[in-house]
């Protein structure tokens, strides 16, 4: 692309030089309103003005006031708009200088042919509500400030200008007409929205605010390309705000921002080229969400490969080691900038995208040289992406660890544990008790006494021993022992009371009437259901605790499971140790801000 532009501007320079030698000079002094009148009334195919000093003095030339940037702007707008300025010839200005102490604004002018400005001096002003239907070119000019508000462009080219501030606000850029110049031929290719670039000069500030860059609709060569807008060279400040690049490519070529670089609330539909970009880490404000997910790329500005972004996403691109390292360098510049600003959210997102590219390179290297070391490097990287987003998301690693704990807990649920001892034998034993309960005169409290008789007897023996030795013991020891017995026996008294009140089977089942059988069947079904739910929750809780204990490698002496589940517990312990180690490193890296 640069070769194209250099050859193109060589032709322009020759034409300009020829015009400079052969064109008849205009008057040496011309005031602004007369300049506009001459341009709009020109009936020739080209309006040429060279080596002229344009004055702006509304005290002498009253019509000049309509192009003043101060005062009653709404009134000036209405005056100029009523004049319906239409320019039907090409406009060529060379070596034209303006008064530098007053600000001018050209308003409501429709340029139906190309506008070319070469070596303009001391311009301070702008264009408001103007339409450049065949494009605008400004080259090698010395401009204090120039702005374009509510303007429409069919291609722009700003090259090697020394400008204080260049501003585009609420303007649109499109290509829907072929730009053919009598002097220059085809000015722009049909996908060139614009270029703002300097080789030796400096633009102090570039502002693009609330601008819309249109989708390509002009196809004279190929429909494979999108519209492009390129910014390159040296700038002090660059601000892009609330602009729409959804349908066009934005790219920078050796962009060097010396002070403030700000991009916010804009939309980018295609990867952004950052070839040779440089910016200050502590004074750059670039919302990373605008370019996350692989929208940082390199573009070859010297060929039609410009439209194929280098994203390091194919084997062919990954084999290009030079561009791979350059792309990694661009990501590192953004990453270090976000770290310097303390924007860890953007830094983490940028780091993840950077590691994604490195993982692609590892996959490519493994495909070329399948060694064990490359294999582990590749799949460890892939695992780190899955588990903790390359160490940037410790919360994600905790969530995945929790899912793993649940998975192993489900496995343990179906295997015997010495903690609850629930298995088929236990269930058969409980079922037999129900059989005895329904076919004999035994009551619920009888089953309770059988199960707890040994413990209750030991409590009673303890009570008797205290009573027998009362006179042989210190008073405080005896007084402390009595509450111990009472608290211990209270639990069993309450349970026994509960069983007595819960009794519903008085006699054998066969002796009940049909109505009583239905009622008691419902009660029995409810009891079995609640008891089954209790056993289920008990087993689930024990399985979960076992899984947590195993995963966290806290240790519990002998493993309370047998057979296959014992070996699974050992494997889970190793997995837990490995994952918790990675979680710890991830957490520490975030605490230390990577």
């Amino acid at each position: 692309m640069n070769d194209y532009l250099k050859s193109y501007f060589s032709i322009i320079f020759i034409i300009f030089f020829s015009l400079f030698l052969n064109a008849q000079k205009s008057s040496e002094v011309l005031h602004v309103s007369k300049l506009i009148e001459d341009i709009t009334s020109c009936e020739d195919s080209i309006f040429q003005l060279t080596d002229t000093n344009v004055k702006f003095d509304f005290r002498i030339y009253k019509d000049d006031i309509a192009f003043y940037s101060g005062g009653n702007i709404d009134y000036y707008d209405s005056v100029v708009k009523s004049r319906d300025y239409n320019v039907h010839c090409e406009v060529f200005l060379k070596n034209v200088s303006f008064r530098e102490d007053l600000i001018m604004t050209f308003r409501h002018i429709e340029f139906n042919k190309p506008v070319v400005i070469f070596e303009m001096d001391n311009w301070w002003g702008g264009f408001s509500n103007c339409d450049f239907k065949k494009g605008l070119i400004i080259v090698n000019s010395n401009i204090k400030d120039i702005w374009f508000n509510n303007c429409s462009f069919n291609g722009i080219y700003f090259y090697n200008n020394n400008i204080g501030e260049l501003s585009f606000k609420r303007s649109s850029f499109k290509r829907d007409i072929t730009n053919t110049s009598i002097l220059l031929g085809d000015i722009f290719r049909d996908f060139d929205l614009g270029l703002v670039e300097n080789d030796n000069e400096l633009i102090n500030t570039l502002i693009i605010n609330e601008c819309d860059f249109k989708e390509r609709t002009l196809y004279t060569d190929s429909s494979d390309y999108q519209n492009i807008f390129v910014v390159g060279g040296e700038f002090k400040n660059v601000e892009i705000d609330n602009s729409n690049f959804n349908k066009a490519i934005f790219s920078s070529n050796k962009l060097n921002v010396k002070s403030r670089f700000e991009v916010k609330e804009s939309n980018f539909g295609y990867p952004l080229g950052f070839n040779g970009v440089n910016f200050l880490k502590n004074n750059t404000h670039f919302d990373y969400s605008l370019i996350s997910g692989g929208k940082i790329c390199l573009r070859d500005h010297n060929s039609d490969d410009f439209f194929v972004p280098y994203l390091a996403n194919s084997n062919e691109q990954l084999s290009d080691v030079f561009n791979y390292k350059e792309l990694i360098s661009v990501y590192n510049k953004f990453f270090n900038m976000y770290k310097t600003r303390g924007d860890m959210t953007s830094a983490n997102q940028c780091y993840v995208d950077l590691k994604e590219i490195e993982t692609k390179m590892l996959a490519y290297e493994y495909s070329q040289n399948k060694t064990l070391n490359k294999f582990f490097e590749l799949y460890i990287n892939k695992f780190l992406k899955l588990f903790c987003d390359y160490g940037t998301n410790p919360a994600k690693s905790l969530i995945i660890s929790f899912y793993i704990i649940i998975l192993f807990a489900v496995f343990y649920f179906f295997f015997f544990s010495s903690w609850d001892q629930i298995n088929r034998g236990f269930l058969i034993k409980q079922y037999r008790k129900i059989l005895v309960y329904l076919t004999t005169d035994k009551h619920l409290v009888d089953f309770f006494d059988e199960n707890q008789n040994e413990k209750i007897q030991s409590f009673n023996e303890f009570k008797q021993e205290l009573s027998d030795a009362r006179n042989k013991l210190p008073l405080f020891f005896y007084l402390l022992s009595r509450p111990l017995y009472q608290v211990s026996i209270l639990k069993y008294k309450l349970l026994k009371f509960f069983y007595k009140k819960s009794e519903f089977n008085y006699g054998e089942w066969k002796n009940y009437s049909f109505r009583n059988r239905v009622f008691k069947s419902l009660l029995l079904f409810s009891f079995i259901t609640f008891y089954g739910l209790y056993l289920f929750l008990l087993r689930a809780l024990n399985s979960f605790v076992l899984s947590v204990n195993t995963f966290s490698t806290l240790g519990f002496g002998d493993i309370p499971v047998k057979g296959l589940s014992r070996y699974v517990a050992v494997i889970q312990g190793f997995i837990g140790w490995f994952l918790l180690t990675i979680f710890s490193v991830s957490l520490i890296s975030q605490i230390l801000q990577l």
Side-chain angles (χ1 to χ4, degrees):
M1 184 176 290
N2 279 344
D3 292 338
Y4 169 88
L5 294 174
K6 288 177 180 177
S7 61
Y8 164 66
F9 272 97
S10 296
I11 296 173
I12 291 179
F13 179 79
I14 294 172
I15 294 173
F16 284 168
F17 187 73
S18 175
L19 290 170
F20 173 74
L21 293 177
N22 300 321
Q24 183 177 1
K25 292 186 179 180
S26 303
S27 58
E28 293 183 357
V29 178
L30 190 68
H31 59 90
V32 173
S33 55
K34 183 65 167 65
L35 171 63
I36 299 299
E37 181 184 340
D38 289 347
I39 292 176
T40 55
S41 62
C42 178
E43 296 181 355
D44 296 331
S45 58
I46 302 175
F47 175 85
Q48 302 177 35
L49 183 67
T50 61
D51 301 309
T52 301
N53 184 15
V54 178
K55 294 293 185 181
F56 178 61
D57 192 342
F58 49 79
R59 292 168 298 183
I60 300 176
Y61 307 104
K62 293 183 179 180
D63 278 353
D64 283 4
I65 190 66
F67 304 99
Y68 181 46
S69 290
N72 191 348
I73 295 177
D74 291 338
Y75 172 72
Y76 304 150
D77 263 349
S78 63
V79 170
V80 176
K81 190 174 183 179
S82 66
R83 296 175 181 175
D84 191 24
Y85 285 138
N86 272 275
V87 180
H88 297 285
C89 61
E90 291 188 25
V91 177
F92 169 68
L93 306 179
K94 180 181 183 298
N95 197 23
V96 175
S97 62
F98 293 82
R99 179 175 174 178
E100 61 180 342
D101 59 341
L102 287 176
I103 307 175
M104 294 176 289
T105 300
F106 290 166
R107 299 181 172 91
H108 299 283
I109 303 176
E110 184 176 293
F111 297 93
N112 293 285
K113 298 294 182 179
V115 177
V116 179
I117 300 174
F118 189 67
E119 294 182 354
M120 180 170 62
D121 194 26
N122 292 331
W123 171 268
W124 187 14
F127 294 80
S128 176
N129 297 287
C130 293
D131 190 357
F132 298 87
K133 289 186 175 296
K134 288 295 186 75
L136 170 65
I137 296 176
I138 300 180
V139 181
N140 292 346
S141 295
N142 183 28
I143 300 171
K144 188 171 183 179
D145 291 324
I146 185 169
W147 61 84
F148 300 88
N149 296 337
N150 299 300
C151 292
S152 177
F153 302 93
N154 203 337
I156 66 166
Y157 194 94
F158 285 62
Y159 182 76
N160 214 34
N161 299 295
N162 188 358
I163 303 176
E165 180 178 297
L166 171 59
S167 171
F168 300 94
K169 295 184 178 180
R170 297 178 298 279
S171 297
S172 64
F173 299 78
K174 60 185 178 180
R175 292 306 318 281
D176 56 6
I177 301 175
T178 303
N179 294 6
T180 302
S181 165
I182 296 175
L183 287 176
L184 308 178
D186 291 335
I187 299 179
F188 302 106
R189 292 168 297 179
D190 55 17
F191 46 75
D192 287 327
L193 283 181
L195 184 144
V196 180
E197 191 171 56
N198 291 324
D199 280 343
N200 304 313
E201 301 297 335
L202 169 68
I203 294 179
N204 188 62
T205 300
L206 170 64
I207 298 175
I208 301 175
N209 179 253
E210 296 184 39
C211 292
D212 188 21
F213 297 81
K214 302 292 187 179
E215 182 178 10
R216 185 180 179 195
T217 57
L218 185 62
Y219 304 107
T220 60
D221 297 325
S222 171
S223 60
D224 296 333
Y225 305 145
Q226 299 84 27
N227 282 335
I228 61 175
F229 189 89
V230 179
V231 176
E234 192 169 290
F235 298 80
K236 186 175 181 181
N237 305 294
V238 174
E239 300 176 16
I240 301 175
D241 182 19
N242 200 25
S243 294
N244 182 17
F245 291 89
N246 262 335
K247 302 297 184 180
I249 296 174
F250 176 84
S251 185
S252 64
N253 182 28
K254 298 179 181 178
L255 177 63
N256 183 13
V257 184
K258 291 183 170 293
S259 182
R260 182 177 180 83
F261 187 21
E262 182 175 298
V263 181
K264 62 182 181 180
E265 297 181 12
S266 297
N267 300 315
F268 298 95
Y270 297 94
L272 284 72
F274 288 104
N275 298 54
V277 66
N278 282 297
F279 47 78
L280 296 181
K281 293 189 293 184
N282 58 353
N283 203 21
T284 297
H285 304 266
F286 201 124
D287 185 356
Y288 190 73
S289 64
L290 303 178
I291 53 175
S292 62
K295 282 190 176 180
I296 293 178
C297 73
L298 304 178
R299 293 186 181 274
D300 187 354
H301 291 78
N302 296 315
S303 71
D304 285 342
D305 287 342
F306 172 89
F307 296 97
V308 181
Y310 182 88
L311 296 165
N313 59 359
S314 67
N315 286 346
E316 181 181 357
Q317 290 192 344
L318 289 167
S319 64
D320 185 349
V321 178
F322 177 83
N323 276 330
Y324 169 77
K325 291 182 178 179
E326 181 66 21
L327 183 61
I328 292 296
S329 174
V330 173
Y331 271 99
N332 270 312
K333 288 176 183 178
F334 277 96
F335 173 66
N336 291 325
M337 178 269 291
Y338 292 123
K339 280 183 61 180
T340 301
R341 289 185 54 204
D343 183 359
M344 294 312 300
T345 299
S346 295
N348 285 339
Q349 291 176 341
C350 183
Y351 184 74
V352 169
D353 288 344
L354 170 62
K355 295 298 291 184
E356 282 285 286
I357 295 174
E358 290 183 353
T359 301
K360 291 176 183 177
M361 177 56 83
L362 287 173
Y364 170 73
E365 291 176 345
Y366 178 68
S367 68
Q368 302 299 308
N369 183 20
K370 294 185 177 181
T371 64
L372 189 61
N373 184 60
K374 293 289 184 184
F375 174 84
F376 279 110
E377 284 185 2
L378 171 61
Y379 283 95
I380 286 176
N381 255 34
K382 288 185 175 182
F383 170 76
L384 290 175
K385 163 62 177 174
L386 174 67
F387 184 63
C388 58
D389 290 339
Y390 300 107
T392 64
N393 193 353
K396 182 180 180 181
S397 62
L398 275 183
I399 293 172
I400 293 177
S401 296
F402 178 76
Y403 288 150
I404 293 174
I405 289 172
I406 294 296
L407 179 65
F408 277 94
V410 171
F411 176 82
Y412 295 138
F413 182 87
F414 297 100
F415 288 86
F416 176 81
S417 169
S418 60
W419 285 354
D420 51 48
Q421 298 183 346
I422 299 174
N423 56 12
R424 290 187 298 273
F426 172 82
L427 295 176
I428 290 173
K429 182 179 179 181
Q430 300 304 106
Y431 196 82
R432 281 178 173 172
K433 288 182 180 180
I434 297 175
L435 287 176
V436 173
Y437 177 64
L438 295 176
T439 57
T440 65
D441 291 333
K442 293 186 71 172
H443 301 296
L444 292 177
V445 72
D446 297 328
F447 290 100
F448 175 77
D449 288 338
E450 288 179 2
N451 289 335
Q452 307 298 331
N453 182 58
E454 184 177 347
K455 291 183 179 180
I456 294 174
Q457 185 176 351
S458 68
F459 293 148
N460 290 331
E461 290 175 355
F462 174 69
K463 177 184 177 182
Q464 186 62 42
E465 290 172 358
L466 285 176
S467 179
D468 294 342
R470 178 176 181 179
N471 296 327
K472 301 177 183 180
L473 298 173
L475 180 61
F476 80 91
F477 185 81
Y478 176 78
L479 294 176
L480 289 175
S481 302
R482 290 290 296 179
L484 179 62
Y485 163 76
Q486 291 170 351
V487 170
S488 300
I489 201 67
L490 178 62
K491 170 186 173 182
Y492 294 96
K493 287 182 178 180
L494 291 175
L495 287 174
K496 191 170 184 177
F497 175 79
F498 172 76
Y499 277 108
K500 285 182 178 180
K501 294 299 181 181
S502 301
E503 183 63 60
F504 67 92
N505 185 37
Y506 299 96
E508 297 182 16
W509 183 264
K510 64 181 181 179
N511 297 327
Y512 292 132
S513 65
F514 176 77
R515 182 178 179 181
N516 282 337
R517 285 186 180 185
V518 172
F519 175 71
K520 293 181 183 298
S521 293
L522 292 175
L523 290 177
L524 181 62
F525 177 78
S526 300
F527 168 76
I528 294 175
T529 300
F530 281 109
Y531 184 66
L533 180 61
Y534 161 75
L535 293 179
F536 176 85
L537 294 176
L538 178 63
R539 168 54 70 89
L541 178 62
N542 286 338
S543 300
F544 178 75
V545 171
L546 172 61
S547 184
V548 171
N549 210 347
T550 306
F551 185 87
S552 59
T553 63
L554 294 176
F556 35 55
D558 188 27
I559 300 176
V561 288
K562 297 179 180 180
L564 176 63
S565 54
R566 178 184 289 265
Y567 299 106
V568 172
V570 173
I571 295 173
Q572 186 190 8
F574 174 78
I575 293 174
W577 164 79
F578 180 70
L579 296 185
L580 289 177
T581 301
I582 296 176
F583 162 73
S584 300
V585 174
S586 175
L587 181 62
I588 292 171
S589 71
Q590 289 302 293
I591 293 174
L592 299 178
Q593 296 188 352
L594 297 176

